[in-house]
Amino acid sequence: MSVRRFWSEARAAVPSLPEQVPDAWAFGATPAHAEELLSLVIEGTKTATASALWDYEAEGESVPEAGEASVVLDGSNRPRAVIITTAVEIVPFAEVSAQHAHAEGEGDRSLECWREIHERFWRDHGQSSRGFARDMPVVCERFQMVFPA
């Protein structure tokens, strides 16, 4: 299904969504990441995500803002969910909270596990030439899945 068609279905179910089709993207850096993290979103376990601010800058992309909608893709780039960003905070990696780590829903949901997973992710898949640093700025985004409900 195309993103445009998926968006039409989402708008029919949630009329408050804007007319314009939002950005569509997948969590993680691989199809396996996308599938795993999307399943956590659909289950309701994952209500937050984190991105390196340096990666946004390297890609020339803007940081998400509260109220923005996104179409979340699966590992095969098929649209599967619509989320609305509810809050965004930029903090150094070492200051990401245990509450945020828990909301991301990965591993055992502890801050220690979050730090391990995300440090490895940014070392292996970061888009910025700056790599990983404990003081790197992290975009901590909270969201709500609105479709499928």
Side-chain angles (χ1 to χ4, degrees):
M1 174 185 300
S2 73
V3 171
R4 185 169 301 288
R5 183 171 165 204
F6 182 82
W7 187 247
S8 293
E9 289 182 12
R11 287 196 68 237
V14 185
S16 61
L17 291 172
E19 273 187 53
Q20 185 175 351
V21 179
D23 288 340
W25 48 268
F27 286 102
T30 68
H33 289 162
E35 292 292 339
E36 177 185 346
L37 298 174
L38 173 65
S39 70
L40 293 173
V41 171
I42 291 172
E43 290 169 5
T45 303
K46 183 174 182 62
T47 59
T49 192
S51 306
L53 179 62
W54 295 342
D55 288 349
Y56 280 107
E57 293 169 351
E59 297 288 309
E61 295 180 15
S62 59
V63 172
E65 295 181 13
E68 287 182 348
S70 297
V71 173
V72 181
L73 306 173
D74 66 16
S76 298
N77 289 321
R78 294 178 302 224
R80 295 287 308 281
V82 174
I83 61 172
I84 303 291
T85 300
T86 58
V88 177
E89 179 182 25
I90 300 173
V91 298
F93 176 86
E95 294 178 27
V96 171
S97 71
Q99 179 184 19
H100 184 84
H102 186 267
E104 285 211 34
E106 298 174 54
D108 67 7
R109 301 181 81 174
S110 70
L111 181 57
E112 181 180 330
C113 183
W114 182 92
R115 286 182 175 154
E116 188 178 299
I117 289 168
H118 285 76
E119 179 176 345
R120 184 174 53 245
F121 177 84
W122 286 317
R123 286 188 186 282
D124 293 346
H125 302 288
Q127 299 299 305
S128 169
S129 61
R130 296 181 192 178
F132 171 81
R134 294 200 57 78
D135 64 345
M136 66 186 276
V138 175
V139 179
C140 296
E141 179 181 358
R142 298 295 298 254
F143 59 82
Q144 176 183 7
M145 184 180 68
V146 296
F147 183 80

